């Protein structure tokens, strides 16, 4: 029996996990999408950028995990979520985030403002409406 949990990177340097994740693909990795997204929380981690590039390719299945990040309290993770994933999403997938993007523009928390999350959300909305 396949254990998706075994695919979750063990640490921020676990680049070798990426090939197994890509090979398994979606929907096999569906149960661990939140765990995988957590490894993109800091764009300075070696695993973050290549994993983010893969997550962008998933399209619609990444929406719910992204919404959980955008609705969360970790402004730094939101910042990297925008930098590594949201800005690279297709307009069709981005459209599913529109209400939360608007909320981040209209009612950002203090820490979201300090991290520039509100500005990144504004840029994403502009891309959506251009």
């Amino acid at each position: 029996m396949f254990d998706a949990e075994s695919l979750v990177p063990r640490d921020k340097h676990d680049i070798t996990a990426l090939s197994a994740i890509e090979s398994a693909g979606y929907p096999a990795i569906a149960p661990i999408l939140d765990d995988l997204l957590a490894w993109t929380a800091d764009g300075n981690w070696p695993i973050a950028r290549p994993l983010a590039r893969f997550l962008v390719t998933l399209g619609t299945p990444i929406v719910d995990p992204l919404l959980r990040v955008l609705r969360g309290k970790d402004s730094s993770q939101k910042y990297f979520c925008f930098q590594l994933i949201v800005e690279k999403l297709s307009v069709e997938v981005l459209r599913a985030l529109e209400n939360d993007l608007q909320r981040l523009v209209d009612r950002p928390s203090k820490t979201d403002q300090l991290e520039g999350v509100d500005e990144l959300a504004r840029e994403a909305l502009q891309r959506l409406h251009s």
Side-chain angles (χ1 to χ4, degrees):
M1 181 168 191
F2 177 74
D3 177 21
E5 290 292 323
S6 68
L7 297 176
V8 176
R10 290 178 302 284
D11 60 55
K12 64 185 177 182
H13 299 286
D14 191 5
I15 301 295
T16 58
L18 191 58
S19 61
I21 293 164
E22 291 172 335
S23 293
Y26 191 86
I29 62 166
I32 60 168
L33 284 177
D34 287 310
D35 296 319
L36 296 179
L37 192 57
W39 284 107
T40 67
D42 186 329
N44 299 305
W45 295 341
I47 188 70
R49 291 180 191 281
L51 184 55
R53 281 192 293 273
F54 170 73
L55 293 174
V56 168
T57 69
L58 298 179
T60 305
I62 199 62
V63 168
D64 286 339
L66 286 174
L67 287 172
R68 285 188 279 279
V69 170
L70 297 179
R71 293 172 182 168
K73 298 199 180 301
D74 187 338
S75 298
S76 177
Q77 183 179 13
K78 289 180 201 177
Y79 171 84
F80 283 112
C81 185
F82 275 101
Q83 291 288 309
L84 301 179
I85 299 172
V86 174
E87 73 176 29
K88 294 165 181 60
L89 293 173
S90 70
V91 171
E92 295 75 31
V93 176
L94 191 59
R95 191 164 285 117
L97 305 175
E98 185 171 11
N99 290 339
D100 284 80
L101 296 173
Q102 193 64 57
R103 179 188 52 76
L104 288 167
V105 168
D106 294 341
R107 296 180 308 282
S109 70
K110 250 324 180 211
T111 56
D112 284 348
Q113 287 177 317
L114 290 172
E115 289 286 343
V117 170
D118 56 330
E119 288 303 317
L120 293 169
R122 182 174 283 107
E123 290 170 14
L125 283 172
Q126 288 171 346
R127 192 173 132 229
L128 193 57
H129 296 122
S130 63

